Coordinates of all heavy atoms in Angstrom, one line a residue:
M157 N 1.9 -21.4 24.4 CA 1.5 -20.0 24.1 C 0.7 -19.5 25.3 O -0.2 -20.2 25.8 CB 0.7 -20.0 22.8 CG 0.2 -18.6 22.5 SD -0.9 -18.5 21.0 CE 0.2 -19.2 19.8
S158 N 1.0 -18.3 25.7 CA 0.3 -17.7 26.8 C -1.1 -17.3 26.4 O -1.4 -17.2 25.3 CB 1.1 -16.4 27.3 OG 0.9 -15.4 26.3
E159 N -1.9 -17.2 27.4 CA -3.3 -16.7 27.2 C -3.4 -15.4 26.5 O -4.2 -15.2 25.6 CB -4.1 -16.6 28.5 CG -5.5 -16.2 28.4 CD -6.2 -15.9 29.7 OE1 -5.6 -16.2 30.8 OE2 -7.3 -15.4 29.7
K160 N -2.4 -14.5 26.9 CA -2.4 -13.2 26.3 C -2.1 -13.3 24.8 O -2.8 -12.6 23.9 CB -1.3 -12.3 26.9 CG -1.2 -10.9 26.4 CD -0.1 -10.2 27.2 CE 0.0 -8.7 26.8 NZ 1.0 -8.0 27.6
M161 N -1.1 -14.1 24.4 CA -0.8 -14.2 23.0 C -1.9 -15.0 22.2 O -2.2 -14.6 21.1 CB 0.5 -15.0 22.8 CG 1.8 -14.2 23.2 SD 1.9 -12.6 22.3 CE 2.0 -13.2 20.6
A162 N -2.5 -15.9 22.8 CA -3.6 -16.7 22.2 C -4.8 -15.7 21.9 O -5.4 -15.7 20.8 CB -4.1 -17.8 23.1
L163 N -5.1 -14.8 22.8 CA -6.1 -13.8 22.6 C -5.8 -12.8 21.6 O -6.6 -12.5 20.7 CB -6.4 -13.1 24.0 CG -7.6 -12.2 24.0 CD1 -8.9 -12.8 23.5 CD2 -7.8 -11.6 25.4
M164 N -4.5 -12.4 21.5 CA -4.0 -11.5 20.5 C -4.1 -12.2 19.1 O -4.5 -11.5 18.1 CB -2.6 -11.1 20.8 CG -2.1 -9.9 20.0 SD -3.0 -8.4 20.4 CE -2.9 -7.6 18.9
N165 N -3.8 -13.5 19.0 CA -3.9 -14.2 17.8 C -5.3 -14.3 17.3 O -5.6 -14.1 16.1 CB -3.3 -15.6 17.9 CG -1.8 -15.6 17.9 OD1 -1.2 -14.6 17.5 ND2 -1.2 -16.7 18.3
K166 N -6.3 -14.5 18.2 CA -7.7 -14.5 17.8 C -8.1 -13.2 17.3 O -8.9 -13.1 16.3 CB -8.6 -14.9 19.0 CG -8.5 -16.4 19.4 CD -9.3 -16.6 20.6 CE -9.1 -18.0 21.2 NZ -9.9 -18.2 22.5
I167 N -7.7 -12.1 17.9 CA -8.1 -10.8 17.5 C -7.5 -10.5 16.1 O -8.2 -10.0 15.2 CB -7.6 -9.7 18.5 CG1 -8.4 -9.8 19.8 CG2 -7.7 -8.3 17.9 CD1 -7.8 -9.0 20.9
S168 N -6.3 -10.9 15.9 CA -5.6 -10.8 14.6 C -6.4 -11.6 13.5 O -6.5 -11.1 12.4 CB -4.2 -11.2 14.6 OG -3.4 -10.4 15.5
E169 N -6.7 -12.8 13.8 CA -7.4 -13.6 12.8 C -8.8 -13.0 12.4 O -9.1 -13.0 11.2 CB -7.7 -15.0 13.4 CG -6.4 -15.9 13.6 CD -6.6 -17.1 14.4 OE1 -7.8 -17.4 14.8 OE2 -5.6 -17.8 14.7
V170 N -9.6 -12.6 13.4 CA -10.8 -12.0 13.1 C -10.7 -10.7 12.4 O -11.4 -10.4 11.4 CB -11.7 -11.8 14.4 CG1 -13.0 -11.0 14.1 CG2 -12.0 -13.2 15.0
S171 N -9.7 -9.9 12.7 CA -9.4 -8.6 12.0 C -9.0 -8.9 10.6 O -9.5 -8.1 9.7 CB -8.3 -7.9 12.7 OG -8.7 -7.5 14.1
F172 N -8.3 -9.9 10.3 CA -7.9 -10.3 9.0 C -9.1 -10.6 8.1 O -9.3 -10.2 7.0 CB -6.9 -11.4 8.9 CG -6.5 -11.8 7.6 CD1 -5.6 -11.1 6.8 CD2 -7.1 -13.0 7.0 CE1 -5.3 -11.5 5.5 CE2 -6.8 -13.4 5.7 CZ -5.9 -12.7 5.0
A173 N -10.0 -11.5 8.7 CA -11.2 -11.9 8.0 C -12.1 -10.6 7.7 O -12.7 -10.5 6.7 CB -12.0 -12.9 8.9
M174 N -12.1 -9.7 8.7 CA -12.9 -8.5 8.4 C -12.3 -7.7 7.3 O -13.1 -7.1 6.5 CB -13.0 -7.7 9.7 CG -13.8 -8.2 10.8 SD -13.8 -7.3 12.3 CE -14.5 -5.8 11.8
Y175 N -11.0 -7.6 7.3 CA -10.4 -6.8 6.2 C -10.7 -7.4 4.8 O -11.0 -6.7 3.9 CB -8.9 -6.8 6.4 CG -8.1 -6.0 5.4 CD1 -8.2 -4.6 5.4 CD2 -7.4 -6.6 4.4 CE1 -7.5 -3.9 4.4 CE2 -6.7 -5.9 3.4 CZ -6.8 -4.5 3.5 OH -6.1 -3.8 2.5
E176 N -10.6 -8.7 4.8 CA -10.9 -9.4 3.5 C -12.3 -9.2 3.1 O -12.6 -9.1 1.9 CB -10.6 -10.9 3.6 CG -9.1 -11.2 3.7 CD -8.3 -10.9 2.5 OE1 -8.8 -11.2 1.4 OE2 -7.3 -10.2 2.6
L177 N -13.2 -9.3 4.1 CA -14.6 -9.0 3.8 C -14.9 -7.6 3.3 O -15.7 -7.4 2.4 CB -15.5 -9.3 5.0 CG -15.8 -10.8 5.2 CD1 -16.4 -11.1 6.6 CD2 -16.7 -11.4 4.1
H178 N -14.2 -6.6 3.9 CA -14.3 -5.3 3.4 C -13.9 -5.2 1.9 O -14.5 -4.5 1.1 CB -13.4 -4.3 4.2 CG -13.9 -3.9 5.5 ND1 -13.2 -4.1 6.7 CD2 -15.1 -3.4 5.9 CE1 -13.9 -3.7 7.7 NE2 -15.1 -3.3 7.2
L179 N -12.8 -5.8 1.6 CA -12.3 -5.8 0.2 C -13.4 -6.5 -0.7 O -13.7 -6.0 -1.8 CB -11.0 -6.6 0.0 CG -9.8 -5.9 0.7 CD1 -8.6 -6.7 0.6 CD2 -9.6 -4.5 0.1
F180 N -13.9 -7.6 -0.3 CA -15.0 -8.3 -1.1 C -16.2 -7.4 -1.3 O -16.7 -7.3 -2.4 CB -15.3 -9.6 -0.4 CG -16.4 -10.4 -1.1 CD1 -16.1 -11.2 -2.2 CD2 -17.7 -10.3 -0.7 CE1 -17.1 -11.9 -2.9 CE2 -18.7 -11.0 -1.4 CZ -18.4 -11.8 -2.5
L181 N -16.6 -6.7 -0.2 CA -17.8 -5.9 -0.3 C -17.6 -4.7 -1.1 O -18.5 -4.1 -1.6 CB -18.3 -5.5 1.1 CG -18.9 -6.7 1.9 CD1 -19.1 -6.4 3.4 CD2 -20.3 -7.0 1.3
D182 N -16.3 -4.3 -1.3 CA -16.0 -3.2 -2.3 C -16.5 -3.5 -3.7 O -16.9 -2.6 -4.4 CB -14.5 -2.8 -2.3 CG -14.1 -2.1 -1.1 OD1 -14.9 -1.5 -0.4 OD2 -12.8 -2.0 -0.9
T183 N -16.4 -4.8 -4.0 CA -16.8 -5.2 -5.4 C -18.2 -5.9 -5.4 O -18.7 -6.2 -6.5 CB -15.8 -6.1 -6.0 OG1 -15.6 -7.2 -5.2 CG2 -14.4 -5.3 -6.2
H184 N -18.7 -6.2 -4.2 CA -20.0 -6.9 -4.1 C -20.8 -6.3 -3.0 O -21.1 -6.9 -2.0 CB -19.8 -8.4 -3.8 CG -19.0 -9.2 -4.8 ND1 -17.6 -9.1 -4.8 CD2 -19.3 -10.0 -5.8 CE1 -17.1 -9.9 -5.8 NE2 -18.2 -10.4 -6.4
P185 N -21.2 -5.0 -3.2 CA -21.8 -4.2 -2.1 C -23.2 -4.7 -1.7 O -23.6 -4.4 -0.6 CB -21.9 -2.8 -2.7 CG -21.8 -3.0 -4.1 CD -21.0 -4.2 -4.4
N186 N -23.8 -5.5 -2.5 CA -25.2 -6.0 -2.2 C -25.2 -7.4 -1.7 O -26.3 -8.0 -1.6 CB -26.1 -5.8 -3.4 CG -26.2 -4.4 -3.8 OD1 -26.3 -3.5 -3.0 ND2 -26.1 -4.1 -5.1
D187 N -24.1 -8.0 -1.4 CA -24.0 -9.4 -0.9 C -24.4 -9.4 0.6 O -23.6 -9.1 1.5 CB -22.6 -9.9 -1.1 CG -22.5 -11.4 -0.9 OD1 -23.1 -11.9 0.1 OD2 -21.9 -12.1 -1.7
A188 N -25.6 -9.8 0.8 CA -26.2 -9.8 2.2 C -25.5 -10.9 3.0 O -25.3 -10.6 4.2 CB -27.7 -10.1 2.1
T189 N -25.1 -12.0 2.5 CA -24.4 -13.0 3.3 C -23.0 -12.5 3.8 O -22.7 -12.6 4.9 CB -24.1 -14.3 2.4 OG1 -25.4 -14.7 2.0 CG2 -23.5 -15.3 3.2
A190 N -22.3 -11.8 2.9 CA -21.0 -11.2 3.3 C -21.2 -10.1 4.3 O -20.4 -10.0 5.3 CB -20.3 -10.7 2.0
M191 N -22.2 -9.3 4.2 CA -22.5 -8.3 5.1 C -22.8 -8.8 6.5 O -22.3 -8.4 7.5 CB -23.6 -7.3 4.6 CG -23.8 -6.2 5.5 SD -22.4 -5.1 5.8 CE -22.4 -4.3 4.2
A192 N -23.6 -9.9 6.5 CA -24.0 -10.5 7.8 C -22.7 -11.1 8.4 O -22.6 -11.0 9.6 CB -25.0 -11.6 7.5
L193 N -21.9 -11.7 7.6 CA -20.6 -12.3 8.2 C -19.7 -11.2 8.7 O -19.1 -11.4 9.8 CB -19.9 -13.1 7.1 CG -18.8 -14.0 7.5 CD1 -19.2 -15.0 8.6 CD2 -18.2 -14.8 6.3
L194 N -19.6 -10.1 8.0 CA -18.8 -9.0 8.5 C -19.4 -8.5 9.8 O -18.6 -8.2 10.8 CB -18.8 -7.8 7.5 CG -18.1 -6.6 7.9 CD1 -16.6 -6.8 8.1 CD2 -18.3 -5.5 6.8
N195 N -20.7 -8.4 10.0 CA -21.3 -7.9 11.2 C -21.0 -8.9 12.3 O -20.7 -8.5 13.5 CB -22.8 -7.7 11.1 CG -23.1 -6.5 10.2 OD1 -22.3 -5.5 10.2 ND2 -24.2 -6.5 9.5
K196 N -21.1 -10.2 12.0 CA -20.8 -11.2 13.0 C -19.3 -11.1 13.5 O -19.0 -11.2 14.7 CB -21.0 -12.6 12.4 CG -20.7 -13.8 13.3 CD -20.8 -15.1 12.6 CE -20.2 -16.2 13.5 NZ -20.1 -17.5 12.7
Y197 N -18.4 -11.0 12.5 CA -17.0 -10.9 12.9 C -16.7 -9.6 13.7 O -15.9 -9.5 14.5 CB -16.1 -10.9 11.7 CG -15.9 -12.3 11.1 CD1 -15.7 -12.5 9.7 CD2 -15.9 -13.4 11.9 CE1 -15.5 -13.8 9.2 CE2 -15.8 -14.7 11.4 CZ -15.6 -14.9 10.0 OH -15.4 -16.1 9.5
S198 N -17.4 -8.5 13.3 CA -17.3 -7.2 14.0 C -17.7 -7.4 15.5 O -17.0 -6.9 16.4 CB -18.1 -6.2 13.3 OG -18.0 -4.9 14.0
D199 N -18.8 -8.1 15.7 CA -19.2 -8.3 17.1 C -18.2 -9.2 17.9 O -17.9 -8.9 19.0 CB -20.6 -9.0 17.1 CG -21.7 -8.1 16.6 OD1 -21.5 -6.8 16.6 OD2 -22.8 -8.6 16.3
T200 N -17.7 -10.2 17.2 CA -16.7 -11.1 17.8 C -15.4 -10.3 18.1 O -14.9 -10.4 19.2 CB -16.4 -12.2 16.8 OG1 -17.5 -13.0 16.6 CG2 -15.3 -13.2 17.4
R201 N -15.0 -9.5 17.2 CA -13.7 -8.7 17.4 C -13.9 -7.7 18.6 O -13.1 -7.5 19.4 CB -13.3 -7.9 16.2 CG -11.9 -7.4 16.4 CD -11.5 -6.3 15.5 NE -10.2 -5.8 15.7 CZ -9.9 -5.0 16.7 NH1 -10.8 -4.6 17.6 NH2 -8.6 -4.6 16.9
N202 N -15.1 -7.1 18.6 CA -15.4 -6.2 19.7 C -15.3 -6.9 21.1 O -14.8 -6.3 22.1 CB -16.7 -5.5 19.5 CG -16.7 -4.4 18.4 OD1 -15.6 -4.0 18.0 ND2 -17.8 -4.1 17.9
A203 N -15.9 -8.1 21.1 CA -15.9 -8.8 22.4 C -14.5 -9.3 22.8 O -14.1 -9.2 23.9 CB -16.8 -10.1 22.3
L204 N -13.7 -9.7 21.8 CA -12.3 -10.1 22.0 C -11.5 -8.9 22.5 O -10.7 -9.0 23.4 CB -11.7 -10.8 20.8 CG -12.3 -12.2 20.4 CD1 -11.8 -12.6 19.0 CD2 -11.9 -13.2 21.5
A205 N -11.7 -7.8 21.8 CA -10.9 -6.6 22.2 C -11.2 -6.1 23.6 O -10.4 -5.7 24.3 CB -11.2 -5.5 21.2
A206 N -12.5 -6.2 23.9 CA -12.9 -5.8 25.3 C -12.3 -6.7 26.3 O -11.8 -6.3 27.4 CB -14.5 -5.8 25.4
E207 N -12.3 -8.0 26.0 CA -11.6 -9.0 26.9 C -10.1 -8.7 27.1 O -9.6 -8.7 28.2 CB -11.8 -10.4 26.4 CG -11.2 -11.5 27.3 CD -11.4 -12.9 26.8 OE1 -12.1 -13.1 25.8 OE2 -10.7 -13.8 27.4
Y208 N -9.5 -8.5 25.9 CA -8.0 -8.2 26.0 C -7.8 -6.9 26.8 O -6.9 -6.9 27.7 CB -7.5 -8.0 24.6 CG -6.0 -7.7 24.5 CD1 -5.1 -8.8 24.3 CD2 -5.5 -6.5 24.7 CE1 -3.8 -8.6 24.3 CE2 -4.1 -6.3 24.7 CZ -3.2 -7.3 24.5 OH -1.9 -7.1 24.5
Q209 N -8.5 -5.9 26.5 CA -8.3 -4.6 27.2 C -8.6 -4.7 28.7 O -7.9 -4.0 29.5 CB -9.2 -3.5 26.6 CG -8.8 -3.2 25.2 CD -9.8 -2.3 24.4 OE1 -10.5 -1.5 25.0 NE2 -9.9 -2.5 23.1
S210 N -9.6 -5.5 29.1 CA -9.9 -5.6 30.5 C -8.7 -6.4 31.3 O -8.5 -6.1 32.4 CB -11.2 -6.3 30.8 OG -11.1 -7.7 30.4
K211 N -8.0 -7.3 30.5 CA -7.0 -8.1 31.2 C -5.6 -7.4 31.0 O -4.8 -7.5 31.9 CB -7.0 -9.5 30.6 CG -8.2 -10.3 30.9 CD -8.1 -11.7 30.3 CE -9.3 -12.5 30.6 NZ -9.2 -13.8 30.0
Y212 N -5.3 -6.8 29.8 CA -4.0 -6.5 29.5 C -3.8 -5.0 29.1 O -2.6 -4.6 28.9 CB -3.5 -7.4 28.4 CG -3.6 -8.8 28.6 CD1 -4.5 -9.6 27.9 CD2 -2.9 -9.5 29.7 CE1 -4.7 -10.9 28.2 CE2 -3.1 -10.8 29.9 CZ -4.0 -11.5 29.2 OH -4.2 -12.9 29.5
G213 N -4.8 -4.2 29.0 CA -4.7 -2.8 28.6 C -5.1 -2.6 27.2 O -5.5 -3.5 26.5
P214 N -4.9 -1.3 26.8 CA -5.4 -0.9 25.4 C -4.7 -1.6 24.3 O -3.5 -1.9 24.3 CB -5.1 0.6 25.4 CG -4.0 0.8 26.4 CD -4.2 -0.3 27.5
L215 N -5.4 -1.8 23.2 CA -4.9 -2.3 21.9 C -4.3 -1.2 21.1 O -3.4 -1.4 20.3 CB -6.0 -3.1 21.2 CG -6.3 -4.5 21.7 CD1 -7.5 -5.0 21.1 CD2 -5.1 -5.4 21.4
N216 N -4.9 0.0 21.2 CA -4.4 1.1 20.4 C -4.7 2.4 21.2 O -5.4 2.4 22.2 CB -5.1 1.2 19.0 CG -6.6 1.2 19.0 OD1 -7.1 2.1 19.7 ND2 -7.2 0.3 18.3
T217 N -4.3 3.5 20.6 CA -4.4 4.8 21.4 C -5.9 5.2 21.6 O -6.2 6.0 22.5 CB -3.7 5.9 20.7 OG1 -4.2 6.1 19.3 CG2 -2.2 5.7 20.6
Y218 N -6.8 4.7 20.7 CA -8.2 5.1 20.9 C -8.8 4.4 22.1 O -9.9 4.8 22.6 CB -9.0 4.7 19.7 CG -8.5 5.4 18.4 CD1 -7.9 4.6 17.4 CD2 -8.6 6.8 18.3 CE1 -7.4 5.3 16.3 CE2 -8.1 7.4 17.1 CZ -7.5 6.6 16.1 OH -7.1 7.3 15.0
D219 N -8.2 3.4 22.6 CA -8.7 2.6 23.7 C -8.1 3.0 25.1 O -8.4 2.4 26.1 CB -8.5 1.1 23.5 CG -9.1 0.6 22.2 OD1 -10.1 1.1 21.8 OD2 -8.4 -0.3 21.6
V220 N -7.3 4.0 25.1 CA -6.7 4.4 26.4 C -7.7 5.1 27.3 O -8.5 5.9 26.9 CB -5.6 5.4 26.1 CG1 -5.0 6.0 27.4 CG2 -4.5 4.7 25.3
D221 N -7.7 4.7 28.6 CA -8.6 5.3 29.6 C -7.9 6.5 30.1 O -6.9 6.5 30.8 CB -8.8 4.3 30.7 CG -9.6 4.8 31.9 OD1 -10.2 5.9 31.7 OD2 -9.7 4.2 32.9
T222 N -8.4 7.7 29.7 CA -7.8 8.9 30.2 C -8.3 9.5 31.5 O -7.9 10.5 32.0 CB -8.0 10.0 29.1 OG1 -9.4 10.2 28.9 CG2 -7.3 9.6 27.8
N223 N -9.2 8.7 32.1 CA -9.8 9.1 33.4 C -8.8 8.9 34.5 O -8.9 9.5 35.6 CB -11.1 8.4 33.7 CG -12.2 8.8 32.7 OD1 -12.3 10.0 32.4 ND2 -13.0 7.8 32.3
N224 N -7.9 8.0 34.4 CA -6.9 7.6 35.4 C -5.6 8.2 35.2 O -5.2 9.2 35.8 CB -6.9 6.1 35.5 CG -6.0 5.6 36.7 OD1 -5.6 6.4 37.5 ND2 -5.8 4.3 36.8
K225 N -4.9 7.7 34.2 CA -3.6 8.2 33.8 C -3.3 7.7 32.4 O -4.0 6.9 31.9 CB -2.4 7.8 34.8 CG -2.1 6.3 34.8 CD -1.0 6.0 35.7 CE -0.7 4.5 35.6 NZ 0.5 4.2 36.3
W226 N -2.3 8.2 31.8 CA -2.0 7.8 30.4 C -1.3 6.5 30.5 O -0.1 6.3 30.8 CB -1.0 8.9 29.8 CG -0.8 8.6 28.4 CD1 0.4 8.3 27.8 CD2 -1.7 8.7 27.3 NE1 0.3 8.1 26.4 CE2 -1.0 8.4 26.1 CE3 -3.1 9.1 27.2 CZ2 -1.6 8.4 24.8 CZ3 -3.7 9.1 26.0 CH2 -2.9 8.8 24.8
L227 N -2.0 5.4 30.2 CA -1.6 4.0 30.3 C -1.0 3.5 29.1 O -0.5 2.3 29.1 CB -2.7 3.1 30.8 CG -3.3 3.5 32.1 CD1 -4.5 2.6 32.4 CD2 -2.3 3.3 33.2
W228 N -1.0 4.2 28.0 CA -0.6 3.6 26.7 C 0.8 3.0 26.8 O 1.1 2.0 26.2 CB -0.7 4.7 25.6 CG -0.2 4.2 24.3 CD1 0.8 4.6 23.6 CD2 -0.8 3.1 23.5 NE1 0.9 3.9 22.4 CE2 -0.1 3.0 22.4 CE3 -1.9 2.3 23.7 CZ2 -0.4 2.1 21.4 CZ3 -2.2 1.4 22.7 CH2 -1.5 1.3 21.6
N229 N 1.7 3.7 27.4 CA 3.1 3.2 27.4 C 3.5 2.5 28.7 O 4.7 2.3 29.0 CB 4.1 4.4 27.1 CG 4.0 5.5 28.1 OD1 3.2 5.4 29.0 ND2 4.8 6.5 28.0
A230 N 2.5 2.1 29.5 CA 2.8 1.5 30.8 C 3.3 0.0 30.6 O 4.1 -0.5 31.4 CB 1.6 1.5 31.7
D231 N 2.9 -0.6 29.5 CA 3.3 -2.0 29.3 C 3.8 -2.1 27.8 O 3.7 -1.2 27.0 CB 2.1 -2.9 29.4 CG 1.6 -3.0 30.9 OD1 2.5 -3.2 31.7 OD2 0.4 -2.9 31.1
P232 N 4.3 -3.3 27.5 CA 4.7 -3.5 26.1 C 3.5 -3.3 25.2 O 2.4 -3.7 25.5 CB 5.2 -4.9 26.0 CG 5.6 -5.2 27.4 CD 4.7 -4.4 28.3
W233 N 3.7 -2.7 24.0 CA 2.6 -2.5 23.1 C 2.3 -3.8 22.4 O 3.1 -4.7 22.3 CB 3.1 -1.5 22.0 CG 3.2 -0.1 22.6 CD1 2.8 0.3 23.9 CD2 3.9 1.0 22.0 NE1 3.2 1.6 24.1 CE2 3.8 2.1 22.9 CE3 4.5 1.2 20.8 CZ2 4.4 3.3 22.7 CZ3 5.0 2.4 20.5 CH2 5.0 3.5 21.5
P234 N 1.0 -4.0 22.0 CA 0.5 -5.3 21.5 C 1.3 -5.8 20.3 O 1.5 -7.0 20.1 CB -0.9 -5.0 21.0 CG -1.3 -3.8 21.9 CD -0.1 -3.0 22.1
W235 N 1.9 -4.9 19.5 CA 2.6 -5.4 18.3 C 4.1 -5.7 18.6 O 4.8 -6.2 17.8 CB 2.6 -4.4 17.2 CG 3.1 -3.0 17.6 CD1 4.4 -2.6 17.5 CD2 2.3 -1.9 18.0 NE1 4.5 -1.3 18.0 CE2 3.2 -0.9 18.3 CE3 1.0 -1.7 18.2 CZ2 2.8 0.4 18.8 CZ3 0.6 -0.5 18.7 CH2 1.5 0.5 19.0
E236 N 4.5 -5.5 19.8 CA 5.9 -5.8 20.2 C 5.9 -7.3 20.6 O 5.8 -7.7 21.8 CB 6.3 -5.0 21.4 CG 6.5 -3.5 21.0 CD 7.0 -2.7 22.2 OE1 6.4 -2.7 23.2 OE2 8.1 -2.0 22.0
Y237 N 6.1 -8.1 19.6 CA 6.0 -9.6 19.8 C 6.9 -10.1 20.9 O 6.4 -10.8 21.8 CB 6.3 -10.3 18.5 CG 6.1 -11.8 18.6 CD1 4.8 -12.4 18.5 CD2 7.2 -12.6 18.7 CE1 4.7 -13.7 18.6 CE2 7.0 -14.0 18.8 CZ 5.8 -14.5 18.7 OH 5.6 -15.9 18.8
G238 N 8.1 -9.8 20.8 CA 9.1 -10.3 21.8 C 8.8 -9.8 23.2 O 8.9 -10.5 24.2
A239 N 8.3 -8.6 23.3 CA 8.0 -8.0 24.6 C 6.8 -8.6 25.3 O 6.6 -8.6 26.5 CB 7.8 -6.5 24.5
N240 N 5.9 -9.2 24.5 CA 4.6 -9.8 25.0 C 4.7 -11.3 25.2 O 3.8 -11.9 25.5 CB 3.5 -9.4 24.0 CG 3.1 -8.0 24.1 OD1 2.6 -7.6 25.2 ND2 3.3 -7.2 23.1
M241 N 5.9 -11.8 24.9 CA 6.0 -13.3 25.1 C 6.2 -13.5 26.6 O 7.0 -12.8 27.3 CB 7.3 -13.8 24.4 CG 7.1 -13.7 22.9 SD 5.8 -14.8 22.2 CE 6.4 -16.4 22.6
E242 N 5.5 -14.5 27.1 CA 5.6 -14.9 28.5 C 6.3 -16.2 28.6 O 6.2 -17.1 27.7 CB 4.3 -15.0 29.1 CG 3.6 -13.6 29.2 CD 2.2 -13.7 29.8 OE1 1.9 -14.7 30.5 OE2 1.4 -12.7 29.6
A243 N 7.1 -16.4 29.6 CA 7.9 -17.6 29.8 C 7.0 -18.8 30.1 O 5.9 -18.7 30.5 CB 8.9 -17.4 30.9

């Protein structure tokens, strides 16, 4: 597996955990442990996303650098699995 795909997998894993914690917190809004874990995963995801973006470009349209040129469609999009596979 390429470094790019490994990083994308880590982002997906952390994002999934965050989503599950959001659902849990909908029914347990005062659970301090879950909230602390969500904050930890949020920090981790932000760091992973920043690393991905610095190496491979934006993950979504909100991350596009508009100071240079419109880079969103310059490379395969992150969800295009086949296009992001490296030999």
Side-chain angles (χ1 to χ4, degrees):
M157 176 182 304
S158 71
E159 178 186 354
K160 183 177 182 180
M161 287 305 299
L163 187 54
M164 194 67 208
N165 283 345
K166 287 179 190 175
I167 292 169
S168 294
E169 290 168 4
V170 173
S171 296
F172 177 79
M174 289 176 65
Y175 181 76
E176 291 295 314
L177 282 166
H178 282 128
L179 292 175
F180 179 80
L181 286 165
D182 283 345
T183 58
H184 302 80
N186 299 319
D187 189 316
T189 303
M191 184 60 72
L193 191 55
L194 177 62
N195 289 332
K196 176 185 170 192
Y197 285 150
S198 179
D199 292 342
T200 300
R201 191 199 180 283
N202 288 339
L204 290 169
E207 180 182 352
Y208 183 94
Q209 291 167 32
S210 72
K211 292 179 179 179
Y212 307 112
L215 282 167
N216 59 52
T217 58
Y218 301 112
D219 302 325
V220 174
D221 177 11
T222 58
N223 294 322
N224 186 5
K225 66 178 185 171
W226 188 249
L227 297 175
W228 178 245
N229 60 357
D231 291 314
W233 294 346
W235 57 84
E236 291 183 305
Y237 183 77
N240 285 296
M241 295 296 294
E242 296 179 15

